[in-house]
Amino acid sequence: MLMDFQQLSKFNILLLGDICQDIFVYGNCERLSPEAPVPVFVEAHRNTMLGMSGNVYNNLSQFPVKINFLSSGHGSTKVRYIDLKSSQHIMRIDEEKNFSPIELPNDLSIYDYVIISDYNKGSISEAIVEKIKQANKTIFVDSKRKDLSIYDGCILKINEKEHKESRIKQNEKVIVTLGSKGASWSGKMFPTQEVEVRDVSGAGDTFFASFVCYYMLTKSFDLSINFANICASQVVQKSGTATLNLKDVKNEICI
């Protein structure tokens, strides 16, 4: 049967995380500089969208769930320069501003779930996590921290590189995304379909948001990981930090 995503409208979630503006500058490199052996980049156009936890928010917003989004880092940017002919990233310039611990709402009881997108910039403190745990909430986490001990007991999504570099207890709540190989969880592999990859920027955020929404409906890791793989495979075929469009996966969202 087709999944009824309208059921998500009954859930009220709190999203916390670091935020920035993702700026993609597209242009052409047709000659080398006479001053140094580097390409001369001539801008053609640029696109700007929310990045970090902002991309998680954009993906969650494709589902009919109620979201209270709290973030810090406003004014921060990630500027990527991309050659139009080859679609290759030439350079990325980051500017980080205004990261400080988020102030939690006084009443956490109104939220059914809490989602944390932690890029380890300073928005999420141990005190914040502990307060949410004390409220006895199911917590979904995507984090760049190497020491992930503060997230013990949470449902955690990290990528393969982060998994190798992190200090983490092995438990049944850790999902590892593996790029073109799919994902793994609890000793099982979840392969994804082969697609032409244009840009992996933000694909982890799409996987994370899609997994969370499907899990809220099904409480199934297996079904939710498979759905998240489908959604992530859609956005990597697009340029820039792309956002999920449920219409792209409407024929594959059944259980």
Side-chain angles (χ1 to χ4, degrees):
M1 58 183 262
L2 287 176
M3 176 58 64
D4 181 10
F5 285 106
Q6 290 304 315
Q7 295 178 49
L8 286 169
S9 61
K10 65 185 178 183
F11 295 121
N12 190 20
I13 62 176
L14 176 63
L15 170 62
L16 309 171
D18 312 286
I19 197 169
C20 71
Q21 290 285 327
D22 274 346
I23 303 172
F24 290 81
V25 183
Y26 299 90
N28 297 294
C29 297
E30 298 180 343
R31 60 190 178 93
L32 292 177
S33 169
E35 301 157 359
V38 295
V40 175
F41 183 89
V42 179
E43 179 178 342
H45 66 274
R46 63 176 61 198
N47 295 330
T48 301
M49 59 278 290
L50 290 177
M52 294 183 171
S53 65
N55 191 40
V56 177
Y57 173 77
N58 284 341
N59 280 278
L60 288 171
S61 297
Q62 304 309 303
F63 300 89
V65 64
K66 295 185 287 290
I67 310 164
N68 183 14
F69 178 28
L70 303 177
S71 61
S72 77
H74 296 270
S76 299
T77 58
K78 294 181 182 179
V79 185
R80 299 167 174 89
Y81 293 84
I82 303 167
D83 178 59
L84 281 169
K85 289 183 178 179
S86 64
S87 297
Q88 291 296 312
H89 285 217
I90 297 171
M91 180 182 293
R92 193 180 97 177
I93 301 174
D94 292 5
E95 184 175 3
E96 299 184 354
K97 298 179 179 179
N98 305 318
F99 288 106
S100 59
I102 293 168
E103 184 174 344
L104 285 176
N106 292 326
D107 185 9
L108 293 176
S109 66
I110 65 173
Y111 300 105
D112 299 291
Y113 298 96
V114 177
I115 302 172
I116 298 175
S117 177
D118 180 9
Y119 278 74
N120 200 25
K121 302 295 184 182
S123 301
I124 309 298
S125 66
E126 291 190 31
I128 287 172
V129 177
E130 186 57 34
K131 184 175 179 180
I132 298 169
K133 286 182 176 181
Q134 290 174 358
N136 197 29
K137 298 297 177 182
T138 299
I139 308 171
F140 299 93
V141 178
D142 187 1
S143 178
K144 303 296 183 186
R145 292 175 184 258
K146 286 186 167 52
D147 183 357
L148 293 162
S149 58
I150 69 168
Y151 294 125
D152 287 348
C154 302
I155 298 176
L156 182 64
K157 193 284 292 182
I158 53 178
N159 65 35
E160 187 173 22
K161 180 177 182 291
E162 292 160 355
H163 185 246
K164 290 177 180 177
E165 296 175 350
S166 66
R167 297 185 293 279
I168 183 174
K169 292 181 180 178
Q170 298 300 314
N171 64 63
E172 73 282 0
K173 293 185 176 180
V174 179
I175 302 162
V176 182
T177 54
L178 306 169
S180 62
K181 294 178 288 185
S184 66
W185 165 72
S186 193
K188 294 188 290 185
M189 288 292 298
F190 296 81
T192 190
Q193 59 186 333
E194 291 186 13
V195 296
E196 182 180 354
V197 177
R198 294 193 62 189
D199 197 330
V200 299
S201 302
D205 297 326
T206 298
F207 181 101
F208 183 45
S210 302
F211 170 85
V212 169
C213 288
Y214 218 71
Y215 184 86
M216 287 193 290
L217 291 174
T218 66
K219 303 301 185 291
S220 167
F221 276 83
D222 292 61
L223 292 173
S224 302
I225 293 171
N226 282 328
F227 176 70
N229 272 338
I230 292 169
C231 294
S233 71
Q234 293 294 324
V235 300
V236 298
Q237 299 178 67
K238 303 173 183 178
S239 183
T241 304
T243 299
L244 172 69
N245 185 340
L246 280 180
K247 292 181 180 179
D248 294 339
V249 292
K250 64 181 180 180
N251 294 324
E252 304 192 55
I253 55 175
C254 35
I255 57 172

